[in-house]
Coordinates of all heavy atoms in Angstrom, one line a residue:
M1 N 128.0 55.5 -30.5 CA 128.8 54.8 -29.6 C 129.6 53.8 -30.4 O 129.1 53.1 -31.3 CB 127.9 54.1 -28.6 CG 128.7 53.2 -27.6 SD 127.7 52.5 -26.4 CE 128.4 53.3 -25.0
S2 N 130.9 53.7 -30.1 CA 131.8 52.8 -30.7 C 131.5 51.3 -30.3 O 131.1 51.1 -29.2 CB 133.2 53.2 -30.4 OG 134.1 52.2 -30.9
R3 N 131.8 50.4 -31.2 CA 131.7 49.0 -30.9 C 132.7 48.6 -29.8 O 132.4 47.7 -29.0 CB 131.9 48.2 -32.2 CG 131.8 46.7 -31.9 CD 132.0 46.0 -33.2 NE 132.0 44.5 -32.9 CZ 132.1 43.6 -33.7 NH1 132.2 43.9 -35.0 NH2 132.2 42.3 -33.4
Y4 N 133.8 49.2 -29.8 CA 134.9 48.9 -28.8 C 134.9 50.1 -27.8 O 135.0 51.2 -28.2 CB 136.2 48.7 -29.5 CG 136.1 47.7 -30.6 CD1 136.0 48.0 -31.9 CD2 136.1 46.3 -30.2 CE1 135.9 47.0 -32.9 CE2 136.0 45.3 -31.2 CZ 135.9 45.7 -32.5 OH 135.8 44.7 -33.5
S5 N 134.9 49.7 -26.6 CA 134.9 50.7 -25.5 C 136.2 51.5 -25.5 O 137.3 51.0 -25.9 CB 134.7 50.1 -24.1 OG 135.8 49.3 -23.8
S6 N 136.1 52.7 -25.0 CA 137.3 53.6 -25.0 C 138.4 53.0 -24.0 O 139.6 53.3 -24.2 CB 137.0 55.0 -24.6 OG 136.4 55.0 -23.4
G7 N 137.9 52.2 -23.1 CA 138.9 51.6 -22.1 C 139.7 50.5 -22.7 O 140.7 50.1 -22.2
N8 N 139.2 49.9 -23.8 CA 139.9 48.7 -24.3 C 140.2 49.0 -25.8 O 139.4 48.5 -26.7 CB 139.1 47.4 -24.1 CG 139.9 46.2 -24.5 OD1 141.0 46.3 -25.1 ND2 139.4 45.1 -24.1
R9 N 141.2 49.6 -26.1 CA 141.6 49.9 -27.5 C 142.3 48.7 -28.2 O 142.4 48.7 -29.4 CB 142.5 51.1 -27.6 CG 141.8 52.4 -27.2 CD 141.0 52.9 -28.3 NE 140.4 54.2 -27.8 CZ 139.2 54.6 -28.2 NH1 138.5 53.9 -29.1 NH2 138.8 55.7 -27.8
A10 N 142.7 47.7 -27.4 CA 143.4 46.6 -28.0 C 142.5 45.8 -28.9 O 143.0 45.4 -30.0 CB 144.0 45.7 -26.9
G11 N 141.3 45.7 -28.5 CA 140.3 45.0 -29.4 C 140.1 45.7 -30.7 O 140.0 45.1 -31.8
A12 N 140.1 47.0 -30.7 CA 139.9 47.8 -31.9 C 141.2 47.7 -32.8 O 141.1 47.6 -34.0 CB 139.7 49.3 -31.6
V13 N 142.3 47.6 -32.2 CA 143.6 47.5 -32.9 C 143.6 46.1 -33.6 O 144.0 46.0 -34.8 CB 144.8 47.7 -32.0 CG1 146.1 47.3 -32.7 CG2 144.9 49.1 -31.5
V14 N 143.2 45.1 -32.9 CA 143.2 43.7 -33.5 C 142.2 43.7 -34.7 O 142.5 43.1 -35.8 CB 142.8 42.7 -32.4 CG1 142.5 41.3 -33.1 CG2 143.9 42.5 -31.4
A15 N 141.1 44.3 -34.5 CA 140.1 44.3 -35.6 C 140.6 45.1 -36.8 O 140.4 44.7 -38.0 CB 138.8 44.9 -35.1
I16 N 141.3 46.2 -36.6 CA 141.8 47.0 -37.7 C 142.9 46.3 -38.4 O 143.0 46.3 -39.6 CB 142.3 48.4 -37.2 CG1 141.1 49.2 -36.7 CG2 143.2 49.1 -38.2 CD1 141.5 50.5 -36.0
V17 N 143.8 45.6 -37.7 CA 144.8 44.8 -38.3 C 144.2 43.7 -39.2 O 144.7 43.4 -40.3 CB 145.8 44.2 -37.2 CG1 146.7 43.2 -37.8 CG2 146.6 45.3 -36.6
A18 N 143.2 43.0 -38.7 CA 142.5 42.0 -39.4 C 141.9 42.5 -40.7 O 142.0 41.9 -41.8 CB 141.5 41.3 -38.6
D19 N 141.3 43.7 -40.6 CA 140.7 44.4 -41.8 C 141.8 44.7 -42.8 O 141.6 44.5 -44.0 CB 140.0 45.7 -41.3 CG 138.7 45.4 -40.5 OD1 138.2 44.2 -40.6 OD2 138.2 46.3 -39.9
I20 N 142.9 45.2 -42.4 CA 144.0 45.6 -43.3 C 144.5 44.3 -44.0 O 144.8 44.4 -45.2 CB 145.1 46.4 -42.5 CG1 144.6 47.7 -42.1 CG2 146.4 46.5 -43.4 CD1 145.5 48.5 -41.2
M21 N 144.7 43.3 -43.2 CA 145.2 42.0 -43.8 C 144.2 41.5 -44.9 O 144.6 41.1 -46.0 CB 145.4 41.0 -42.8 CG 146.5 41.3 -41.8 SD 146.6 40.4 -40.3 CE 146.7 38.7 -40.8
A22 N 142.9 41.6 -44.6 CA 141.9 41.1 -45.6 C 141.8 42.1 -46.8 O 141.6 41.6 -47.9 CB 140.5 41.0 -44.9
L23 N 142.1 43.4 -46.5 CA 142.1 44.3 -47.6 C 143.2 44.1 -48.6 O 143.0 44.1 -49.8 CB 142.2 45.8 -47.0 CG 142.3 46.9 -48.1 CD1 141.0 47.0 -48.8 CD2 142.7 48.2 -47.4
I24 N 144.4 43.8 -48.0 CA 145.5 43.5 -48.9 C 145.2 42.2 -49.7 O 145.5 42.2 -50.9 CB 146.8 43.3 -48.1 CG1 147.3 44.6 -47.5 CG2 147.9 42.6 -48.9 CD1 148.3 44.5 -46.4
L25 N 144.7 41.2 -49.1 CA 144.3 40.0 -49.9 C 143.3 40.2 -50.9 O 143.4 39.8 -52.1 CB 143.9 38.9 -48.9 CG 145.0 38.3 -48.0 CD1 144.4 37.6 -46.8 CD2 145.9 37.5 -48.8
G26 N 142.3 41.0 -50.6 CA 141.2 41.4 -51.5 C 141.8 42.2 -52.7 O 141.4 42.0 -53.8
L27 N 142.7 43.1 -52.3 CA 143.3 44.0 -53.4 C 144.1 43.1 -54.3 O 144.0 43.4 -55.5 CB 144.1 45.0 -52.7 CG 144.7 46.1 -53.6 CD1 143.6 46.9 -54.3 CD2 145.5 47.1 -52.7
W28 N 144.8 42.1 -53.8 CA 145.6 41.3 -54.7 C 144.6 40.5 -55.6 O 144.9 40.3 -56.8 CB 146.5 40.3 -54.0 CG 147.1 39.3 -54.9 CD1 146.9 38.0 -54.9 CD2 147.8 39.6 -56.1 NE1 147.5 37.4 -56.0 CE2 148.1 38.4 -56.8 CE3 148.3 40.8 -56.7 CZ2 148.8 38.3 -57.9 CZ3 149.1 40.7 -57.9 CH2 149.3 39.4 -58.5
I29 N 143.5 40.0 -55.1 CA 142.6 39.2 -55.9 C 142.1 40.1 -57.0 O 142.0 39.7 -58.2 CB 141.4 38.7 -55.1 CG1 141.9 37.6 -54.1 CG2 140.3 38.1 -56.0 CD1 140.9 37.2 -53.1
L30 N 141.7 41.3 -56.7 CA 141.2 42.3 -57.7 C 142.3 42.6 -58.7 O 142.0 42.6 -60.0 CB 140.8 43.6 -57.0 CG 140.2 44.6 -57.9 CD1 138.9 44.1 -58.5 CD2 139.9 45.9 -57.1
M31 N 143.5 42.8 -58.3 CA 144.6 43.1 -59.2 C 144.9 42.0 -60.2 O 145.1 42.1 -61.3 CB 145.9 43.5 -58.5 CG 145.9 44.8 -57.8 SD 147.4 45.1 -57.0 CE 147.3 46.9 -56.6
Y32 N 144.8 40.7 -59.6 CA 145.0 39.5 -60.4 C 143.9 39.4 -61.5 O 144.2 39.2 -62.7 CB 145.1 38.3 -59.6 CG 145.3 37.0 -60.4 CD1 146.6 36.6 -60.7 CD2 144.2 36.3 -60.9 CE1 146.8 35.5 -61.4 CE2 144.4 35.2 -61.6 CZ 145.7 34.8 -61.9 OH 145.9 33.7 -62.7
L33 N 142.7 39.6 -61.1 CA 141.6 39.4 -62.0 C 141.6 40.5 -63.1 O 141.1 40.3 -64.2 CB 140.2 39.5 -61.2 CG 140.0 38.3 -60.3 CD1 138.7 38.5 -59.6 CD2 140.0 37.0 -61.1
L34 N 142.1 41.7 -62.7 CA 142.1 42.8 -63.7 C 143.4 42.8 -64.5 O 143.7 43.7 -65.3 CB 141.9 44.2 -63.0 CG 140.5 44.4 -62.4 CD1 140.5 45.7 -61.6 CD2 139.5 44.3 -63.4
D35 N 144.3 41.8 -64.3 CA 145.5 41.6 -65.0 C 146.4 42.9 -64.8 O 146.9 43.4 -65.8 CB 145.3 41.3 -66.4 CG 146.5 40.7 -67.1 OD1 147.3 40.1 -66.4 OD2 146.6 40.8 -68.3
A36 N 146.7 43.2 -63.6 CA 147.5 44.4 -63.3 C 148.9 44.1 -63.7 O 149.4 43.0 -63.7 CB 147.5 44.7 -61.8
N37 N 149.6 45.2 -64.0 CA 151.0 45.1 -64.5 C 151.9 44.7 -63.4 O 152.2 45.4 -62.4 CB 151.5 46.5 -65.0 CG 152.9 46.5 -65.5 OD1 153.5 45.5 -65.6 ND2 153.4 47.7 -65.8
R38 N 152.5 43.5 -63.5 CA 153.3 42.9 -62.4 C 154.6 43.6 -62.3 O 155.3 43.3 -61.3 CB 153.5 41.4 -62.6 CG 152.2 40.6 -62.8 CD 151.9 39.8 -61.6 NE 150.6 39.1 -61.7 CZ 150.4 37.8 -61.8 NH1 151.4 37.0 -61.8 NH2 149.2 37.4 -61.9
A39 N 155.0 44.4 -63.2 CA 156.3 45.1 -63.1 C 156.1 46.4 -62.3 O 157.1 47.0 -61.9 CB 156.8 45.5 -64.5
N40 N 154.9 46.8 -62.0 CA 154.6 48.0 -61.2 C 155.0 47.7 -59.7 O 154.7 46.6 -59.2 CB 153.2 48.3 -61.3 CG 152.8 49.6 -60.5 OD1 152.7 49.5 -59.3 ND2 152.6 50.7 -61.2
D41 N 155.6 48.7 -59.1 CA 156.1 48.5 -57.7 C 154.9 48.3 -56.7 O 155.0 47.4 -55.8 CB 156.9 49.7 -57.2 CG 158.2 49.8 -57.9 OD1 158.7 48.8 -58.4 OD2 158.8 50.9 -57.9
L42 N 153.8 49.0 -56.9 CA 152.7 48.8 -56.0 C 152.1 47.4 -56.1 O 151.8 46.7 -55.2 CB 151.6 49.8 -56.3 CG 150.3 49.7 -55.5 CD1 150.6 49.8 -54.0 CD2 149.2 50.6 -55.9
V43 N 152.0 46.9 -57.4 CA 151.4 45.6 -57.6 C 152.4 44.5 -57.0 O 151.9 43.6 -56.4 CB 151.2 45.4 -59.1 CG1 150.8 43.9 -59.4 CG2 150.2 46.3 -59.7
Q44 N 153.7 44.7 -57.2 CA 154.6 43.8 -56.6 C 154.5 43.8 -55.1 O 154.6 42.7 -54.4 CB 156.1 44.2 -57.0 CG 156.4 43.8 -58.4 CD 157.8 44.3 -58.8 OE1 158.5 44.8 -58.0 NE2 158.2 44.0 -60.0
F45 N 154.4 45.0 -54.5 CA 154.3 45.0 -53.0 C 153.0 44.3 -52.5 O 153.1 43.5 -51.6 CB 154.2 46.5 -52.5 CG 153.9 46.6 -51.1 CD1 154.9 46.4 -50.1 CD2 152.7 47.0 -50.7 CE1 154.6 46.5 -48.8 CE2 152.4 47.1 -49.3 CZ 153.4 46.8 -48.4
V46 N 151.9 44.6 -53.2 CA 150.6 43.9 -52.8 C 150.7 42.4 -53.0 O 150.3 41.6 -52.1 CB 149.4 44.5 -53.5 CG1 148.2 43.7 -53.3 CG2 149.2 46.0 -53.1
H47 N 151.3 42.0 -54.1 CA 151.5 40.6 -54.4 C 152.4 39.9 -53.3 O 152.0 38.8 -52.8 CB 152.0 40.4 -55.8 CG 152.1 38.9 -56.2 ND1 153.0 38.5 -57.0 CD2 151.3 37.9 -55.9 CE1 152.9 37.2 -57.2 NE2 151.8 36.8 -56.5
N48 N 153.5 40.5 -53.0 CA 154.4 39.9 -52.0 C 153.7 39.8 -50.6 O 153.8 38.8 -49.9 CB 155.7 40.7 -51.9 CG 156.5 40.5 -53.1 OD1 156.4 39.6 -53.9 ND2 157.4 41.5 -53.4
A49 N 153.0 40.9 -50.2 CA 152.3 40.9 -48.9 C 151.2 39.9 -48.9 O 151.0 39.1 -47.9 CB 151.7 42.3 -48.7
A50 N 150.5 39.8 -50.0 CA 149.4 38.8 -50.1 C 150.0 37.4 -50.1 O 149.4 36.5 -49.4 CB 148.5 39.0 -51.3
N51 N 151.1 37.1 -50.8 CA 151.7 35.8 -50.7 C 152.1 35.4 -49.3 O 151.9 34.3 -48.9 CB 152.9 35.8 -51.6 CG 152.6 35.5 -53.1 OD1 151.5 34.9 -53.4 ND2 153.4 35.8 -54.0
W52 N 152.7 36.4 -48.6 CA 153.1 36.1 -47.2 C 151.9 35.8 -46.3 O 151.9 34.9 -45.5 CB 153.9 37.3 -46.7 CG 154.4 37.0 -45.3 CD1 155.5 36.3 -45.0 CD2 153.9 37.5 -44.1 NE1 155.7 36.3 -43.7 CE2 154.7 37.0 -43.1 CE3 152.8 38.3 -43.8 CZ2 154.5 37.3 -41.7 CZ3 152.6 38.5 -42.4 CH2 153.4 38.0 -41.4
L53 N 150.8 36.6 -46.5 CA 149.6 36.5 -45.6 C 148.9 35.2 -45.9 O 148.3 34.6 -45.1 CB 148.7 37.7 -45.8 CG 149.1 39.0 -45.3 CD1 148.2 40.1 -45.7 CD2 149.2 38.9 -43.7
A54 N 148.9 34.8 -47.2 CA 148.1 33.6 -47.6 C 149.0 32.4 -47.8 O 148.6 31.4 -48.5 CB 147.3 33.9 -48.9
G55 N 150.2 32.4 -47.3 CA 151.2 31.3 -47.4 C 150.6 30.0 -47.1 O 150.9 28.9 -47.7
W56 N 149.7 29.9 -46.1 CA 149.1 28.6 -45.6 C 148.0 28.2 -46.5 O 147.6 27.0 -46.5 CB 148.7 28.8 -44.2 CG 147.7 29.9 -44.0 CD1 147.9 31.2 -43.7 CD2 146.3 29.7 -44.0 NE1 146.8 31.9 -43.6 CE2 145.7 31.0 -43.8 CE3 145.4 28.7 -44.3 CZ2 144.3 31.3 -43.7 CZ3 144.0 28.9 -44.2 CH2 143.5 30.2 -44.0
S57 N 147.3 29.1 -47.2 CA 146.2 28.7 -48.0 C 146.3 28.9 -49.5 O 145.4 28.5 -50.3 CB 144.9 29.5 -47.5 OG 145.1 30.9 -47.9
R58 N 147.4 29.4 -49.9 CA 147.6 29.8 -51.3 C 147.5 28.6 -52.3 O 146.8 28.7 -53.3 CB 149.0 30.5 -51.5 CG 149.2 31.1 -52.8 CD 150.5 31.9 -52.9 NE 151.6 31.1 -52.5 CZ 152.5 31.4 -51.6 NH1 152.4 32.5 -51.0 NH2 153.5 30.6 -51.3
D59 N 148.0 27.5 -52.0 CA 147.9 26.3 -52.9 C 147.1 25.2 -52.3 O 147.2 24.0 -52.6 CB 149.3 25.8 -53.2 CG 150.2 26.8 -54.0 OD1 149.6 27.5 -54.8 OD2 151.4 26.8 -53.7
L60 N 146.1 25.6 -51.5 CA 145.3 24.6 -50.8 C 144.3 23.9 -51.8 O 144.0 22.8 -51.7 CB 144.5 25.3 -49.7 CG 143.7 24.4 -48.7 CD1 144.7 23.5 -48.0 CD2 143.0 25.3 -47.7
F61 N 143.8 24.7 -52.8 CA 142.9 24.2 -53.8 C 143.6 24.0 -55.1 O 144.5 24.7 -55.5 CB 141.7 25.2 -53.9 CG 141.0 25.5 -52.6 CD1 141.3 26.6 -51.9 CD2 140.1 24.5 -52.1 CE1 140.6 26.8 -50.7 CE2 139.5 24.8 -50.9 CZ 139.7 25.9 -50.2
T62 N 143.1 23.0 -55.9 CA 143.7 22.7 -57.2 C 142.7 22.8 -58.3 O 142.5 21.8 -59.0 CB 144.3 21.3 -57.1 OG1 143.3 20.3 -56.8 CG2 145.4 21.2 -56.1
F63 N 142.0 23.9 -58.4 CA 141.1 24.1 -59.5 C 141.9 24.2 -60.8 O 143.1 24.5 -60.9 CB 140.3 25.4 -59.4 CG 139.4 25.4 -58.1 CD1 139.7 26.3 -57.1 CD2 138.4 24.6 -58.1 CE1 138.9 26.3 -56.0 CE2 137.5 24.6 -56.9 CZ 137.8 25.5 -55.9
D64 N 141.2 23.9 -62.0 CA 141.9 23.9 -63.3 C 142.2 25.4 -63.7 O 143.2 25.6 -64.3 CB 141.0 23.3 -64.3 CG 140.9 21.8 -64.1 OD1 141.8 21.2 -63.5 OD2 139.9 21.2 -64.6
K65 N 141.4 26.3 -63.4 CA 141.6 27.7 -63.8 C 142.4 28.4 -62.7 O 142.1 28.3 -61.5 CB 140.2 28.4 -63.9 CG 139.3 27.7 -65.0 CD 139.9 27.9 -66.3 CE 138.9 27.4 -67.4 NZ 139.4 27.5 -68.7
A66 N 143.3 29.2 -63.2 CA 144.2 29.9 -62.2 C 143.4 30.9 -61.4 O 143.7 31.1 -60.3 CB 145.3 30.6 -63.0
W67 N 142.5 31.6 -62.1 CA 141.7 32.6 -61.4 C 140.9 32.0 -60.2 O 140.7 32.7 -59.2 CB 140.8 33.4 -62.3 CG 139.7 32.6 -63.0 CD1 139.8 32.0 -64.2 CD2 138.5 32.3 -62.5 NE1 138.7 31.3 -64.5 CE2 137.8 31.5 -63.4 CE3 137.8 32.6 -61.3 CZ2 136.5 31.0 -63.3 CZ3 136.5 32.1 -61.1 CH2 135.9 31.3 -62.1
A68 N 140.4 30.8 -60.4 CA 139.7 30.2 -59.3 C 140.6 29.8 -58.1 O 140.2 29.9 -57.0 CB 139.0 28.9 -59.9
R69 N 141.8 29.4 -58.5 CA 142.8 29.1 -57.4 C 143.1 30.4 -56.6 O 143.3 30.3 -55.4 CB 144.1 28.5 -58.0 CG 143.9 27.0 -58.4 CD 145.2 26.4 -58.7 NE 146.0 27.1 -59.7 CZ 145.9 26.9 -61.1 NH1 145.1 25.9 -61.5 NH2 146.7 27.5 -61.9
V70 N 143.3 31.5 -57.3 CA 143.6 32.7 -56.6 C 142.4 33.2 -55.7 O 142.7 33.5 -54.6 CB 143.9 33.8 -57.7 CG1 144.0 35.2 -57.0 CG2 145.3 33.5 -58.4
I71 N 141.2 33.1 -56.3 CA 140.1 33.6 -55.5 C 139.9 32.6 -54.3 O 139.7 33.1 -53.1 CB 138.8 33.6 -56.3 CG1 138.9 34.7 -57.3 CG2 137.6 33.7 -55.5 CD1 137.8 34.7 -58.3
A72 N 140.0 31.3 -54.5 CA 139.8 30.4 -53.4 C 140.9 30.5 -52.3 O 140.7 30.6 -51.1 CB 139.7 29.0 -53.9
G73 N 142.2 30.5 -52.8 CA 143.3 30.5 -51.8 C 143.4 31.8 -51.1 O 143.5 31.8 -49.8
Y74 N 143.4 32.9 -51.8 CA 143.6 34.2 -51.1 C 142.3 34.6 -50.4 O 142.3 35.2 -49.4 CB 144.1 35.2 -52.1 CG 145.5 35.0 -52.6 CD1 145.7 34.3 -53.8 CD2 146.5 35.5 -51.9 CE1 147.0 34.1 -54.2 CE2 147.8 35.3 -52.4 CZ 148.0 34.6 -53.5 OH 149.3 34.4 -54.0
G75 N 141.2 34.3 -51.0 CA 139.9 34.6 -50.4 C 139.6 33.9 -49.1 O 139.1 34.5 -48.2
L76 N 140.0 32.6 -49.1 CA 139.9 31.9 -47.8 C 140.7 32.5 -46.7 O 140.2 32.7 -45.6 CB 140.3 30.4 -48.0 CG 140.4 29.6 -46.7 CD1 139.0 29.4 -46.1 CD2 141.0 28.2 -47.0
A77 N 141.9 32.9 -47.0 CA 142.8 33.6 -46.0 C 142.1 34.9 -45.5 O 142.1 35.2 -44.3 CB 144.2 33.8 -46.6
A78 N 141.6 35.7 -46.5 CA 141.0 36.9 -46.1 C 139.8 36.7 -45.1 O 139.6 37.4 -44.1 CB 140.5 37.7 -47.3
V79 N 138.9 35.7 -45.5 CA 137.8 35.4 -44.6 C 138.2 34.9 -43.2 O 137.6 35.3 -42.2 CB 136.9 34.4 -45.3 CG1 135.8 33.8 -44.4 CG2 136.2 35.0 -46.6
V80 N 139.2 34.1 -43.2 CA 139.7 33.5 -41.9 C 140.3 34.7 -41.1 O 140.0 34.8 -39.9 CB 140.7 32.4 -42.1 CG1 141.5 32.1 -40.8 CG2 140.1 31.2 -42.7
Y81 N 141.1 35.6 -41.7 CA 141.6 36.7 -40.9 C 140.5 37.6 -40.4 O 140.6 38.0 -39.2 CB 142.6 37.5 -41.8 CG 143.9 36.8 -42.0 CD1 144.5 36.7 -43.2 CD2 144.6 36.1 -41.0 CE1 145.7 36.1 -43.5 CE2 145.8 35.5 -41.2 CZ 146.3 35.4 -42.4 OH 147.5 34.8 -42.6
L82 N 139.5 37.9 -41.2 CA 138.4 38.7 -40.7 C 137.7 38.0 -39.6 O 137.4 38.6 -38.6 CB 137.4 39.0 -41.9 CG 137.9 40.1 -42.8 CD1 136.9 40.2 -44.0 CD2 138.0 41.4 -42.1
F83 N 137.3 36.8 -39.8 CA 136.5 36.0 -38.8 C 137.3 35.9 -37.4 O 136.8 36.3 -36.4 CB 136.2 34.6 -39.3 CG 135.4 33.8 -38.3 CD1 134.0 34.1 -38.1 CD2 136.0 32.8 -37.6 CE1 133.3 33.3 -37.2 CE2 135.3 32.1 -36.7 CZ 134.0 32.3 -36.5
V84 N 138.5 35.4 -37.5 CA 139.3 35.2 -36.3 C 139.7 36.6 -35.7 O 139.6 36.7 -34.5 CB 140.6 34.4 -36.6 CG1 141.5 34.4 -35.4 CG2 140.2 33.0 -37.1
G85 N 140.1 37.5 -36.5 CA 140.5 38.8 -35.9 C 139.3 39.5 -35.2 O 139.5 40.1 -34.1
H86 N 138.1 39.5 -35.8 CA 137.0 40.1 -35.2 C 136.5 39.3 -34.0 O 136.0 39.9 -33.0 CB 135.9 40.4 -36.2 CG 136.2 41.6 -37.1 ND1 135.8 42.9 -36.7 CD2 137.0 41.7 -38.2 CE1 136.3 43.7 -37.6 NE2 137.0 43.1 -38.5
A87 N 136.6 38.0 -34.0 CA 136.3 37.2 -32.9 C 137.2 37.5 -31.7 O 136.7 37.7 -30.6 CB 136.3 35.7 -33.2
I88 N 138.5 37.6 -32.0 CA 139.4 38.0 -30.9 C 139.1 39.4 -30.4 O 139.1 39.6 -29.2 CB 140.9 37.8 -31.4 CG1 141.2 36.3 -31.6 CG2 141.8 38.4 -30.4 CD1 142.5 36.1 -32.3
A89 N 138.9 40.3 -31.3 CA 138.6 41.7 -30.9 C 137.3 41.7 -30.0 O 137.3 42.5 -29.0 CB 138.5 42.6 -32.1
G90 N 136.3 41.0 -30.4 CA 135.1 41.0 -29.6 C 135.3 40.4 -28.2 O 134.8 40.9 -27.2
R91 N 136.1 39.4 -28.1 CA 136.4 38.8 -26.8 C 137.2 39.7 -26.0 O 137.0 39.8 -24.7 CB 137.3 37.5 -27.0 CG 136.5 36.3 -27.3 CD 135.7 35.9 -26.2 NE 136.0 34.5 -25.9 CZ 135.6 33.9 -24.8 NH1 135.0 34.6 -23.9 NH2 135.9 32.7 -24.6
M92 N 138.2 40.4 -26.6 CA 139.0 41.4 -25.8 C 138.1 42.6 -25.3 O 138.4 43.1 -24.2 CB 140.1 41.9 -26.7 CG 141.2 40.9 -27.0 SD 142.4 41.5 -28.2 CE 143.4 42.5 -27.1
S93 N 137.2 43.0 -26.1 CA 136.3 44.1 -25.7 C 135.4 43.7 -24.6 O 135.0 44.6 -23.8 CB 135.5 44.6 -26.9 OG 136.4 45.1 -27.9
R94 N 135.0 42.5 -24.5 CA 134.1 42.0 -23.4 C 134.8 41.9 -22.1 O 134.1 42.0 -21.0 CB 133.4 40.7 -23.8 CG 132.3 40.9 -24.7 CD 131.5 39.6 -24.9 NE 131.8 39.2 -26.3 CZ 132.0 38.0 -26.7 NH1 131.9 37.0 -25.9 NH2 132.3 37.8 -28.0
N95 N 136.0 41.7 -22.1 CA 136.8 41.5 -20.8 C 137.3 42.8 -20.3 O 137.6 43.7 -20.7 CB 137.9 40.5 -21.0 CG 137.4 39.1 -21.3 OD1 136.3 38.8 -20.9 ND2 138.1 38.3 -22.1

């Protein structure tokens, strides 16, 4: 049995969108840590999308190390999107 009832697909859509947003942010963190080639089109696309998604949290922390700022800023956005997205999806599925 699915977590979201067949009568209310909107909750499932919200959860999937939140998952995709968090996946993009997590993918950028991984690409940054693995020093991906920034001239690559896929890397540029993921970086631009992650910058847009984490615009509100990207420079929130001022750690000395750049990798810590990336993990904290983009990671916070990913966690918030997952938490809020799934909370909204759960509320929509109950109603």
